[in-house]
Amino acid sequence: MVDSKISQTKLEGVEEILRSEAKSIHKQVISNIIPAVIVELMILIYNLADTFFIAQTNDPLQIAAVSLSGPVFFVLIAMGIIFMAGSMSCISRALGAGDRDKANSTASFSIWTSIIFGLVMTVVVSMNIGRILFAIGASYDTFTLAYSYLSIVMAGAPFVLFSMACSGILRAEGHAAQAMNGQIIGNVTNIILDPVMILYFKMGITGAAIATVIGTVVGAGYYIGYFLAGQSSLSINIKNYRVKNGIAAGVFAIGIPACLDPWLMSISQMIMNSLMSAYGDMAIAAAGVSMRIEQIATLIGMGCGQGVQPLLGFCVGAKDWERYRGILKFALQFAVSVSLFMVMMCYVFTGPVVRIFLIEPEAFGYAVKFLRIKLTSSVLFAIFFIFVNALQAMGAARASFILSFCRQCMLYIPALFIMNYFAGAYGIVWALPIAELLSLLQTYIIYGRIIFDPRKLS
């Protein structure tokens, strides 16, 4: 890649948008949140598209195989979040403080290191797919299908991590719409190719995997073109690559806690699948479908948190705490309102929506009940994710790590075993709302202590 053509005018334009006192906080927040929410929903749509078109094969085992592969894909996304969240927090604070050299070094470090991590992950997972699938509950009926899907999807790992790093950099510099464009282009490509590969060429789950990889490559191509054309205000030239002077430490200090939640979520889903496998493949298929539909509400909260983080980070760097509080308050109100609306819609139309993906009576019955249970915690997750992103924006690495670790390891995973023992398959699903409520209470307490005592940021 070549050096971006960084113009002083372009940099001032970005900073003017974020510093402007005349610009309404509401407009500031919405203009950053909407693209991030759209990206999260597009990710969900392409996941649903895979499930929908695979469902047209009338083979629930293929749906179960995709559900089994989900945790591994979550691990991949979690690795990408290291560079997306880490770069977004560090760059936005550096720009707020006026340190453009540090912003450029952080951008370069995030891009090139994400590619290396993607290549390593492709090799490691590809060499251990069989062991991984049996460990997460694959049966002899679903193993071959899941193996085929996962072995192809992992080829796109470097492109996924690269794209997520690019997205974080563009959001940090105030280009939320451009960050959105790359991911939308990749997702739309995947959605278009799904029916062609799965149904027209009759490739089934293998076709879904090929479509996914092509989509990730196309999306990465957009970002490559964006930086090569000099449209970014930051440089990702390898000459700016720095590990020392707090660059790597800064990215990983925020990125690792940020990635910990989805990474641990993937482990908890593996445990959930393993426990659910005792109730049959139809229960696993239902759990996967209900999770994807419920994400319509939860991903809105994730998008709100990711969209507002650069604004909060810039305020932290500029030490503008009044605007910080105003942005956070409105972001919480917006996230709760939209998430609550989506929860209500999903609850009202549970049956028709589930029937799109599952028509087998046993699987359908499970999925309807599973989904209504999961929806009870969607709004709680939106609030949780806003506060966690606020902590990341402040550089509160330790607090972010504690919250992510406790949410999954200390709350959700133990709840899975306890609720399975007392209430079976439905108890497994109820473990999530219980853990979400407890983790939100913990988050509120920790955030309150830090915001009133900034010395606890480290």
Side-chain angles (χ1 to χ4, degrees):
M1 298 186 184
V2 300
D3 197 359
S4 297
K5 303 171 184 177
I6 308 172
S7 69
Q8 183 70 21
T9 302
K10 191 181 295 184
L11 281 166
E12 289 176 348
V14 174
E15 295 180 2
E16 183 180 356
I17 290 173
L18 293 169
R19 291 187 189 277
S20 174
E21 294 295 331
K23 190 173 183 179
S24 164
I25 284 178
H26 293 189
K27 291 181 180 178
Q28 249 188 26
V29 173
I30 291 175
S31 65
N32 277 268
I33 279 179
I34 294 300
V37 170
I38 291 174
V39 166
E40 294 299 330
L41 291 178
M42 283 301 302
I43 292 173
L44 173 63
I45 289 171
Y46 99 74
N47 282 331
L48 289 175
D50 277 356
T51 306
F52 172 77
F53 289 112
I54 289 173
Q56 306 313 300
T57 65
N58 295 318
D59 184 359
L61 289 176
Q62 293 197 49
I63 297 177
V66 173
S67 299
L68 284 167
S69 303
V72 181
F73 195 73
F74 278 157
V75 172
L76 175 60
I77 296 300
M79 294 294 290
I81 288 175
I82 292 178
F83 303 101
M84 183 176 73
S87 63
M88 189 159 52
S89 175
C90 294
I91 291 172
S92 60
R93 280 182 282 132
L95 291 176
D99 192 346
R100 295 173 184 169
D101 289 339
K102 185 174 183 179
N104 283 328
S105 295
T106 302
S108 180
F109 171 82
S110 298
I111 288 295
W112 294 102
T113 308
S114 71
I115 295 172
I116 295 170
F117 272 52
L119 291 170
V120 170
M121 190 168 183
T122 297
V123 174
V124 172
V125 174
S126 297
M127 292 175 63
N128 295 278
I129 291 179
R131 297 184 186 89
I132 292 170
L133 289 175
F134 278 128
I136 60 180
S139 68
Y140 286 103
D141 291 327
T142 58
F143 176 84
T144 301
L145 293 168
Y147 191 101
S148 174
Y149 181 80
L150 202 54
S151 60
I152 296 172
V153 166
M154 288 309 301
F159 300 99
V160 172
L161 268 60
F162 168 81
S163 294
M164 294 183 71
C166 289
S167 177
I169 292 168
L170 268 59
R171 289 180 188 177
E173 64 179 349
H175 296 164
Q178 288 76 12
M180 172 187 70
N181 290 341
Q183 297 195 8
I184 287 181
I185 289 171
N187 292 342
V188 169
T189 300
N190 182 50
I191 292 169
I192 292 172
L193 289 176
D194 265 343
V196 177
M197 307 299 289
I198 296 170
L199 302 176
Y200 182 77
F201 289 114
K202 302 186 184 301
M203 298 178 70
I205 196 171
T206 301
I210 294 172
T212 297
V213 172
I214 294 175
T216 60
V217 172
V218 171
Y222 168 84
Y223 291 118
I224 292 172
Y226 184 85
F227 281 105
L228 287 176
Q231 295 179 21
S232 173
S233 60
L234 297 172
S235 169
I236 61 171
N237 193 309
I238 198 167
K239 293 188 299 183
N240 295 314
Y241 189 92
R242 301 287 185 277
V243 174
K244 298 181 179 180
N245 299 324
I247 300 299
V251 171
F252 287 128
I254 296 300
I256 290 177
C259 93
L260 192 61
D261 193 64
W263 185 75
L264 291 174
M265 189 183 299
S266 70
I267 293 178
S268 62
Q269 191 184 347
M270 292 178 192
I271 294 172
M272 187 272 291
N273 282 337
S274 181
L275 294 173
M276 194 68 76
S277 65
Y279 305 97
D281 288 331
M282 296 305 100
I284 292 179
V289 167
S290 64
M291 180 192 68
R292 282 174 167 78
I293 298 173
E294 186 256 348
Q295 283 177 338
I296 295 173
T298 58
L299 289 181
I300 289 174
M302 292 182 68
C304 289
Q306 292 173 1
V308 80
Q309 191 196 115
L311 295 176
L312 295 175
F314 194 92
C315 291
V316 171
K319 301 189 184 303
D320 188 347
W321 293 104
E322 181 178 355
R323 180 166 286 261
Y324 173 96
R325 288 189 290 270
I327 290 172
L328 179 63
K329 180 180 178 181
F330 180 71
L332 284 167
Q333 293 171 343
F334 183 86
V336 169
S337 299
V338 178
S339 294
L340 186 58
F341 173 77
M342 294 306 300
V343 166
M344 292 172 61
M345 292 295 99
C346 289
Y347 197 91
V348 170
F349 297 104
T350 297
V353 173
V354 170
R355 193 171 284 110
I356 294 174
F357 305 100
L358 290 170
I359 58 174
E360 199 279 333
E362 182 184 6
F364 175 83
Y366 270 130
V368 168
K369 294 177 181 178
F370 287 176
L371 177 57
R372 287 178 173 164
I373 294 171
K374 288 176 179 289
L375 288 171
T376 60
S377 63
S378 297
V379 177
L380 299 178
F381 178 77
I383 300 171
F384 168 84
F385 207 76
I386 291 286
F387 275 117
V388 168
N389 275 267
L391 289 169
Q392 291 170 5
M394 289 189 289
R398 183 187 304 171
S400 181
F401 176 85
I402 290 171
L403 289 174
S404 296
F405 181 80
C406 288
R407 178 173 177 263
Q408 297 292 335
C409 292
M410 304 301 291
L411 297 173
Y412 183 41
I413 292 176
L416 284 170
F417 288 98
I418 294 170
M419 295 302 293
N420 178 51
Y421 179 81
F422 286 106
Y426 296 108
I428 292 173
V429 182
W430 269 113
L432 180 61
I434 293 170
E436 293 286 14
L437 177 60
L438 295 175
S439 63
L440 179 58
L441 293 174
Q442 181 190 41
T443 301
Y444 187 76
I445 293 170
I446 290 178
Y447 177 83
R449 292 180 64 189
I450 288 176
I451 199 66
F452 290 113
D453 188 359
R455 289 174 299 176
K456 296 176 181 177
L457 285 174
S458 61

